[in-house]
Amino acid sequence: MTITLSDWSMYQSNFIGDPNSAADKYNPNKWVVDLNFDAIAASGIAGIIIRTSIILTKDPCFDRYRAGLERVGLPWGVYHAFDPDRSAQAQLDLMRSVCGVTPPLGVFVDVERGNTTFAGLNGFLTAVDATYGRIAGIYSGNWYLAPHFTLSEQGQWLHRPAWFAGYPNLDVPAGWLHQAREYTLHQFTDGGALAGMPRRTLLDRLHPTLTLDHLLQGLPAPARPRGGGGPRGRRTPPPPPPPPPPPPTQGQALFGLHGRADGRMQPPDFQVVQSARIEAVKLMSTAAPEDVDRLRSIGEHMPIMVRCFMDFRNRTITPQQFADAMSGDLAPFVAKGITLFEVHNEPNLVEEGLGTPGQGGSWPNGAAFGEWFTATVALLNARFPEALWGWPGLSPGGTLPGTRADAGVFLQQAGRAPATADWIGVHAYWQNDAELDAALAEIGRTAGRFPGQKLYVTEYANVKQQPNEDPAMIAKQYIRFVTQLRRLPVAAAFAFVVSASFPGFAFEAWRDEQGQLNLLPGLVGARPPAPPLGRAPGPQPAGDRWWEAWPEGVQNPARRLASPPAPIQMLQRDGRPLSPPVFRQNAMDVFERQGDLLRVLPQAINGRLWWVRAPEVQPE
């Protein structure tokens, strides 16, 4: 039986204040808690985890949430959104003042902001333990834990309840990856429906080896790692598999589409989304917030991204000016539960801000844009702390004097700024199959450059712009492109563009300005279902588990693997990724097989052999 919980912040209630007012945002009088607690208690939900506070500010709905849950007898826990750049003691004092008792479901610390150190976070967790008299849990995800904490550091928290986010599939952090219980709670959607709640909510699934009593009584010690020896060397049996996630069943690289390039979506645009079986949509901030409702009526769990749009042509725009201008546009989207925001677009173009400040530009190079981006995100995050801010996709290609700075150089100049983002956007354009393969390889290099970061391809298209271009060929390219992205940490890829009034985009649009759909939506919509995660995309050899025909142990002679169409991440003998990560795209020889792990290196490098997972490659 699946045990489901929910977690709430103020965004589960109705905001009646001024969206441009920071004072209104955290004013309890500006939030109407219009929840039917009796209906919620009868819905079958097992419990609710409530946010006490974010950094140094109390959640304005906490007291009413707690009172309502206690009235109907629903168990509740709490979490605090921790910021390592602010006083840990002040944050602990705030938590204690907001919630002075030990909650039935325990206490969690939300860890996904700033550059947390192990010493700083561990000290805070220990202080929370002492304050509430039970072990505090961690809420986070691999996108944050991987770049901030080593494997050994993560391993020191295995005794803590682990609450990880992944919509809908979970990317288990390395420290927990080979434990029999790889998580305590899995937050699997931010678009769940619950009786008694007029708005979407977050839902969390308890690990199938646990019961609610484990949370009520305090979590027991972690289960033995997989393969660990029991009494007399017996192996501990693995836990039962987790229940299947809710739809959509695809995990990485959802098939997305860029919304209308200018203004709100129009009725034919939604028809395209339906016909093409689109799984994720990117909107401009110039779109109407009501477009979100229409999209969710098409796909209840559809991820939606919003790009922060502002005209940079011949202007110098500071981070403060940008944040002030965007706040009014973004607030209605945030109120509807949208969390994914791309901060600007193709900043290596002159028309998008590249140039000398005061002379029609806002940044002269990638380093200056990195500083601009970091300052802008800090301002936006202070207003919308629930949002996830993305590094914008660059215009791919080399230098075009007066038009574009080389994308690779610009990214290199930006240094660590992209790694500070919640996710990284990339763009990909091509005119033929060779350029498509080059674009895939470049995305693989970006993934290797920023290990642990989630990527979104926020724009891609065939840009050949020939009136007689074969739509079936283009659809085939788009399907191949998205399918092969599943080998990489890409959450979604958005084809450009559903429609646009600008004539220059007519060859890329999926329908004309008279509302007539072209052939692309139907051709893309007829694509086969995406393969399960971990299975190699493209044609499969006879039998899904072809490698089992090879004997275990050393292969003599070595077997040959075909060159994969996108970079493959190298693994250690135990299946963990190498650190720092290593990707290979050339053909490989298999020198040993252990289960579904294949050794592809004849001799150790730095004392380690390299392996790959058989489902991610193909035999020659």
Side-chain angles (χ1 to χ4, degrees):
M1 176 182 174
T2 301
I3 299 175
T4 304
L5 294 88
S6 182
D7 57 284
W8 298 350
S9 68
M10 59 196 186
Y11 295 111
Q12 275 63 55
S13 290
N14 183 29
F15 182 60
I16 60 173
D18 179 358
N20 297 314
S21 169
D24 279 6
K25 183 175 182 180
Y26 292 101
N27 182 347
N29 296 323
K30 299 298 182 180
W31 290 90
V32 177
V33 178
D34 53 353
L35 310 184
N36 184 332
F37 287 92
D38 293 290
I40 293 169
S43 70
I45 200 76
I48 310 292
I49 302 175
I50 322 168
R51 187 174 71 178
T52 59
S53 39
I54 177 169
I55 312 175
L56 296 176
T57 304
K58 177 180 177 179
D59 190 294
C61 298
F62 174 81
D63 293 332
R64 287 171 285 177
Y65 288 163
R66 174 183 169 184
L69 294 172
E70 289 182 334
R71 180 182 66 79
V72 299
L74 261 183
W76 58 280
V78 300
Y79 75 96
H80 166 75
F82 178 67
D83 187 340
D85 298 323
R86 309 297 286 271
S87 167
Q89 186 60 54
Q91 293 180 71
L92 182 63
D93 291 343
L94 175 61
M95 286 181 68
R96 190 161 36 204
S97 68
V98 173
C99 182
V101 301
T102 302
L105 295 180
V107 182
F108 291 83
V109 176
D110 180 337
V111 185
E112 52 183 329
R113 289 170 177 81
N115 289 310
T116 312
T117 64
F118 174 78
L121 176 58
N122 201 54
F124 184 76
L125 290 167
T126 303
V128 174
D129 295 345
T131 297
Y132 289 99
R134 65 183 287 174
I135 301 299
I138 295 175
Y139 170 89
S140 194
N142 195 42
W143 72 87
Y144 185 88
L145 294 176
H148 287 91
F149 304 106
T150 66
L151 189 62
S152 62
E153 289 172 341
Q154 294 179 35
Q156 296 185 53
W157 294 326
L158 296 181
H159 67 294
R160 297 187 178 278
W163 179 16
F164 298 137
Y167 305 169
N169 296 318
L170 183 58
D171 181 14
V172 178
W176 288 262
L177 187 59
H178 294 280
Q179 301 299 313
R181 187 174 65 242
E182 295 180 328
Y183 63 90
T184 304
L185 284 168
H186 170 200
Q187 185 185 81
F188 61 86
T189 182
D190 61 356
L194 202 60
M197 299 192 70
R199 280 160 291 282
R200 300 292 175 183
T201 190
L202 300 111
L203 294 178
D204 311 274
R205 183 183 297 115
L206 194 65
H207 194 277
T209 64
L210 299 174
T211 68
L212 192 65
D213 285 342
H214 286 120
L215 287 185
L216 292 170
Q217 299 168 9
L219 197 68
R224 188 184 301 276
R226 289 194 180 97
R232 298 186 182 178
R234 291 195 297 270
R235 297 174 66 85
T236 303
T249 57
Q250 290 91 334
Q252 294 179 329
L254 296 176
F255 205 114
L257 182 61
H258 193 299
R260 186 164 173 81
D262 36 17
R264 68 173 300 165
M265 297 273 282
Q266 299 179 359
D269 299 327
F270 297 107
Q271 185 181 350
V272 170
V273 171
Q274 284 186 300
S275 298
R277 293 173 41 230
I278 294 302
E279 299 161 343
V281 171
K282 172 184 168 182
L283 298 174
M284 302 288 283
S285 57
T286 54
E290 293 76 22
D291 293 344
V292 173
D293 301 324
R294 181 68 185 275
L295 289 169
R296 283 181 172 160
S297 72
I298 297 172
E300 182 179 357
H301 301 280
M302 179 183 292
I304 299 171
M305 175 187 293
V306 172
R307 176 190 139 195
C308 303
F309 173 79
M310 193 172 182
D311 189 351
F312 275 74
R313 289 174 294 183
N314 299 313
R315 304 169 68 188
T316 297
I317 298 175
T318 66
Q320 188 69 58
Q321 291 170 330
F322 186 84
D324 290 344
M326 284 297 103
S327 293
D329 290 343
L330 302 188
F333 290 104
V334 172
K336 289 186 176 293
I338 301 301
T339 58
L340 287 171
F341 294 96
E342 186 176 24
V343 181
H344 195 37
N345 172 68
E346 297 189 337
N348 60 325
L349 293 180
V350 170
E351 68 174 10
E352 297 288 3
L354 179 66
T356 303
Q359 300 179 27
S362 295
W363 45 80
N365 51 44
F369 175 74
E371 296 173 358
W372 185 95
F373 174 85
T374 303
T376 299
V377 168
L379 293 167
L380 289 170
N381 201 55
R383 303 176 192 192
F384 308 109
E386 301 297 319
L388 299 174
W389 308 103
W391 175 267
L394 303 181
S395 173
T399 299
L400 297 174
T403 300
R404 179 176 68 199
D406 181 278
V409 173
F410 191 92
L411 186 63
Q412 185 176 18
Q413 291 170 342
R416 294 296 299 166
T420 67
D422 293 306
W423 51 272
I424 293 176
V426 293
H427 287 180
Y429 289 102
W430 63 83
Q431 297 189 33
N432 53 52
D433 285 339
E435 291 181 0
L436 186 158
D437 289 335
L440 285 167
E442 183 60 33
I443 295 169
R445 284 189 286 272
T446 302
R449 182 171 183 169
F450 299 102
Q453 278 281 30
K454 183 175 291 185
L455 305 186
Y456 287 84
V457 180
T458 54
E459 291 182 16
Y460 74 88
N462 180 311
V463 291
K464 194 170 184 180
Q465 296 199 355
Q466 295 293 330
N468 60 348
E469 199 71 17
D470 179 10
M473 180 273 294
I474 294 176
K476 184 177 179 180
Q477 285 185 342
Y478 286 8
I479 294 168
R480 179 165 76 89
F481 177 74
V482 175
T483 301
Q484 291 181 6
L485 286 176
R486 288 172 58 83
R487 297 180 181 274
L488 300 171
V490 175
F494 302 93
F496 189 85
V497 58
V498 65
S499 67
S501 63
F502 176 54
F505 293 153
F507 288 104
E508 296 161 83
W510 291 36
R511 59 103 174 164
D512 63 27
E513 285 302 281
Q514 287 70 49
Q516 182 65 42
L517 278 60
N518 59 34
L519 295 178
L520 268 181
L523 291 167
V524 169
R527 68 190 183 276
L533 286 178
R535 174 175 170 177
Q540 297 294 313
D544 286 347
R545 303 183 64 82
W546 49 265
W547 58 91
E548 291 185 346
W550 299 349
E552 291 219 13
V554 175
Q555 304 297 296
N556 190 13
R559 264 69 170 180
R560 186 75 168 165
L561 291 178
S563 176
I568 299 297
Q569 188 166 16
M570 296 296 106
L571 308 173
Q572 303 176 56
R573 186 184 189 93
D574 60 5
R576 302 187 189 192
L578 295 171
S579 181
V582 176
F583 292 83
R584 289 184 69 181
Q585 192 171 0
N586 54 306
M588 292 171 276
D589 290 315
V590 177
F591 296 94
E592 185 179 356
R593 178 173 89 87
Q594 298 294 338
D596 69 349
L597 285 173
L598 308 177
R599 176 165 62 87
V600 296
L601 203 66
Q603 296 179 333
I605 295 180
N606 294 329
R608 290 185 297 182
L609 295 167
W610 293 2
W611 301 68
V612 297
R613 290 204 180 278
E616 297 183 357
V617 292
Q618 298 175 358
E620 191 170 64

